[in-house]
Amino acid sequence: MTNPMQFPDGFVFGGATAAYQVEGETRTHGKGKVPWDDFLAAQGRFSPDPASDFYNKYPVDIDLCQRFGINGIRVSIAWSRIFPNGTGEINHEGVAFYHELFVHPATKRRRLSPTVTLDHFVYARRPFTYGRRRGRSSTRTTIDAFVEYAKFCFAEFTEVKHWFTFNEITRNRRGQLYRRQLAARREVSPGQGLPAHAQHDGGPRQGRRRLP
């Protein structure tokens, strides 16, 4: 008879977090800036450093996973820790950190399987800024930059078996549509229809959309 208090074989009981939420060391070890850095500095209320200092203390967190019976953990890679400028030059210290995390003896000893997210709401600053000037982040430039980053990670971190490309992809998409509509409101006067680039991507609609 199956013990109702025991997970079946193959069940992953996991925890999840994200690079910017926990790593700290946001401006050290070769990491490039991200939009959150400027935003939080301007707010003056919160700091991403040291967060929970995961960059330096992840073995402690892995041990805590063992204590709580967690056998899977979702983490994310900080894009700008790999590519400080979003593309081009690689920060080898950042690459080494993630290798150490994914294959650390504590990870293997605890039988902790990592699932890795490539983008958890943190673009590298340069491609993000380029897209924001155009009212959206999904420009061809930012898409190409992300593809370069993703291909590098898939080829480099072969020890990772499970990947997510984006965290909460529908939320990302809704946010982009919202930003496009805000940009469109600056281009038209009240009562006019939205420009074509601000209309919904689901195909033609009857009549014209009106600003609220």
Side-chain angles (χ1 to χ4, degrees):
M1 184 174 182
T2 302
N3 183 349
M5 299 300 292
Q6 182 176 341
F7 293 125
D9 292 341
F11 186 89
V12 177
F13 178 54
T17 188
Y20 203 78
Q21 296 172 0
V22 298
E23 283 183 0
E25 301 289 0
T26 60
R27 301 303 311 282
T28 60
H29 303 283
K31 185 177 184 293
K33 290 189 72 174
V34 300
W36 280 108
D37 294 330
D38 293 334
F39 176 80
L40 293 178
Q43 293 292 311
R45 291 179 293 175
F46 305 103
S47 171
D49 290 308
S52 59
D53 201 18
F54 185 78
Y55 188 92
N56 297 301
K57 297 180 178 179
Y58 68 86
V60 176
D61 292 305
I62 291 172
D63 286 338
L64 288 173
C65 288
Q66 171 71 11
R67 288 177 55 190
F68 287 108
I70 291 173
N71 63 347
I73 183 171
R74 191 194 72 167
V75 298
S76 72
I77 292 175
W79 180 349
S80 67
R81 200 178 289 285
I82 303 297
F83 290 97
N85 295 312
T87 60
E89 181 183 0
I90 295 171
N91 174 30
H92 294 285
E93 186 175 355
V95 174
F97 164 71
Y98 289 112
H99 274 303
E100 291 170 7
L101 170 62
F102 301 147
V103 299
H104 192 276
T107 307
K108 291 187 174 295
R109 185 172 65 251
R110 304 307 187 190
R111 297 181 181 179
L112 191 64
S113 176
T115 297
V116 179
T117 306
L118 288 173
D119 178 63
H120 195 117
F121 299 146
V122 185
Y123 275 90
R125 187 169 182 261
R126 182 171 294 180
F128 176 87
T129 303
Y130 179 90
R132 191 174 184 183
R133 289 171 182 163
R134 287 150 182 80
R136 60 194 186 279
S137 57
S138 59
T139 64
R140 175 49 56 186
T141 297
T142 53
I143 292 170
D144 289 344
F146 182 80
V147 168
E148 178 185 348
Y149 160 59
K151 284 183 175 179
F152 174 85
C153 289
F154 294 152
E156 178 69 25
F157 301 111
T158 56
E159 61 269 35
V160 176
K161 305 304 180 185
H162 306 288
W163 293 91
F164 289 116
T165 47
F166 296 94
N167 178 65
E168 298 183 34
I169 184 63
T170 54
R171 185 182 295 267
N172 272 294
R173 186 58 182 153
R174 285 197 302 268
Q176 290 185 28
L177 287 171
Y178 177 69
R179 287 193 295 272
R180 289 166 66 183
Q181 291 175 5
L182 285 180
R185 288 190 175 97
R186 301 188 185 102
E187 298 176 13
V188 298
S189 59
Q192 289 183 317
L194 289 177
H197 69 75
Q199 294 183 16
H200 192 277
D201 291 341
R205 293 170 176 262
Q206 295 295 323
R208 302 178 68 188
R209 292 188 69 186
R210 300 286 177 178
L211 294 176

